[in-house]
Amino acid sequence: MAKNPTYHSKEKHINVEYHFVRDMVEDKKVFLVKVDTLKNTVDALTKSMSTEKFSWCREIIALQGWTNG
């Protein structure tokens, strides 16, 4: 919906405050990109995952002082 501002039938259930993102995209203040789930470093903050994936995410976002275990 942010990239295609035409009316969507499901859009009527979205609170008006959430249209903020669409407005920011229109004003070119925010650029949306699709991130493949295998390369999504935010997973380290939002999901449980394997030690290997957590270590990769930690390395990519440069968190220091964390230990596994």
Side-chain angles (χ1 to χ4, degrees):
M1 285 188 291
K3 290 185 178 185
N4 184 3
T6 60
Y7 177 78
H8 296 274
S9 62
K10 296 179 183 178
E11 189 173 342
K12 64 184 176 185
H13 299 290
I14 298 174
N15 197 331
V16 174
E17 66 190 56
Y18 297 110
H19 292 283
F20 172 77
V21 173
R22 183 177 63 192
D23 294 340
M24 296 296 283
V25 170
E26 277 182 11
D27 295 341
K28 300 194 184 327
K29 294 180 180 178
V30 173
F31 181 69
L32 298 178
V33 276
K34 180 168 174 58
V35 177
D36 186 290
T37 191
L38 297 174
K39 296 180 180 178
N40 192 348
T41 56
V42 170
D43 285 351
L45 304 173
T46 61
K47 299 178 181 176
S48 59
M49 63 186 64
S50 68
T51 304
E52 293 81 19
K53 171 91 183 223
F54 178 75
S55 295
W56 177 81
C57 291
R58 186 181 65 188
E59 181 180 320
I60 295 297
I61 59 178
L63 289 175
Q64 298 178 4
W66 289 40
T67 60
N68 295 334

